[in-house]
Amino acid sequence: MYDPVLDNVYRLFQKGMGYIHDKHIYKFKDYSECVFDTQIQSKYWLVGHLQNPKKRGGREIKSIDILASWYGIVIVPLLFNAFGKIKINLYDVDEYTIDIAKHIWKNEYNNMVTPHCKDVVFDDLNLQGDVVINCSCEHMFDMSHIVHQYPDKLYVLQSNNNRNIKWLHINCASNQGELADQADLRKIHFGESKEMYGQKRIMIFGEHRNAA
């Protein structure tokens, strides 16, 4: 079945591929992995649930910050399709990834996508979004250090239980409760886990404030 959003994802992917061929050929393998099935499935899963107002605590969404965003190739078109004209900030530590992302998102979606080269663990951030998304919690320190700085935002977090990749997956979670504890989220609006290619993918939507 034809999916116009996925068709746009592949258009953007091709746009980035031409730039990589000319400027960053050493990033080819890394870039090719951003449209793997696991990436597409996990982002469709996230945005599909985020569209439900009850699952996001009734919060209105006008802007979104995406941490460890990589190139944003899959999730950005999905978010625009779901929420229309919103502001999206992408944060990634790799300067070459961000250079590629800037090329991809230039003149797309009325230039409402802004990539930032930031280490979200150690650099000072100025998060403006109503929602903070991190689909790579297994790759970094606990999210609680960011949650405590920005306690009033809705956090949408994904992790997994694949501890076999020890040099990359430094902070996996076994279940939704462990992921919530890592981030010190005390009011959970939605949580779910699902198997993806033999590994458990975990997702929660929550806030730092105490439940009423």
Side-chain angles (χ1 to χ4, degrees):
M1 182 180 295
Y2 174 70
D3 184 338
V5 178
L6 197 55
D7 189 61
N8 197 31
V9 167
Y10 291 136
R11 178 188 65 81
L12 292 164
F13 179 77
Q14 290 175 351
K15 181 180 179 182
M17 185 66 78
Y19 189 68
I20 286 172
H21 178 271
D22 294 337
K23 301 290 186 180
H24 298 287
I25 192 65
Y26 47 87
K27 294 290 284 184
F28 173 76
K29 180 180 182 295
D30 178 76
Y31 186 69
S32 67
E33 293 176 358
C34 77
V35 290
F36 277 7
D37 282 350
T38 50
Q39 292 295 321
I40 293 171
Q41 289 181 30
S42 63
K43 272 57 175 187
Y44 267 81
W45 180 39
L46 185 157
V47 177
H49 287 294
L50 190 61
Q51 287 179 269
N52 186 326
K54 290 184 179 180
K55 293 179 179 178
R56 60 176 192 260
R59 187 180 293 253
E60 185 179 5
I61 298 178
K62 294 182 178 179
S63 60
I64 296 177
D65 294 316
I66 304 177
L67 310 185
S69 58
W70 213 3
Y71 307 98
I73 285 283
V74 180
I75 194 168
V76 168
L78 286 169
L79 289 170
F80 276 108
N81 182 67
F83 299 106
K85 291 184 178 180
I86 56 174
K87 173 69 176 175
I88 296 179
N89 286 294
L90 305 178
Y91 294 89
D92 198 275
V93 67
D94 189 299
E95 63 181 298
Y96 304 112
T97 293
I98 290 299
D99 183 62
I100 296 163
K102 286 180 177 178
H103 173 80
I104 292 168
W105 300 114
K106 184 179 180 180
N107 298 325
E108 301 286 346
Y109 298 109
N110 295 315
N111 291 311
M112 294 290 282
V113 182
T114 306
H116 305 267
C117 188
K118 292 281 188 178
D119 185 325
V120 300
V121 175
F122 296 109
D123 290 345
D124 291 331
L125 304 178
N126 183 24
L127 301 183
Q128 300 293 319
D130 306 298
V131 180
V132 176
I133 296 175
N134 185 349
C135 296
S136 301
C137 292
E138 69 273 15
H139 290 277
M140 63 183 67
F141 294 158
D142 289 352
M143 276 290 294
S144 58
H145 74 288
I146 292 177
V147 170
H148 292 163
Q149 293 176 62
Y150 301 93
D152 297 326
K153 298 184 182 295
L154 174 69
Y155 288 87
V156 175
L157 308 179
Q158 286 187 354
S159 187
N160 64 52
N161 69 342
N162 183 7
R163 294 179 169 84
N164 293 324
I165 311 177
K166 296 180 180 179
W167 58 95
L168 287 176
H169 291 184
I170 64 170
N171 196 18
C172 291
S174 299
N175 50 54
Q176 298 159 38
E178 185 174 353
L179 182 56
D181 287 344
Q182 288 177 0
D184 196 18
L185 297 181
R186 304 171 186 179
K187 186 174 184 179
I188 304 301
H189 298 295
F190 173 73
E192 189 174 73
S193 300
K194 64 191 306 182
E195 292 293 320
M196 290 188 182
Y197 294 91
Q199 307 296 333
K200 182 195 288 185
R201 193 79 186 160
I202 302 155
M203 181 168 69
I204 57 173
F205 297 3
E207 301 177 54
H208 177 63
R209 64 185 183 186
N210 288 309

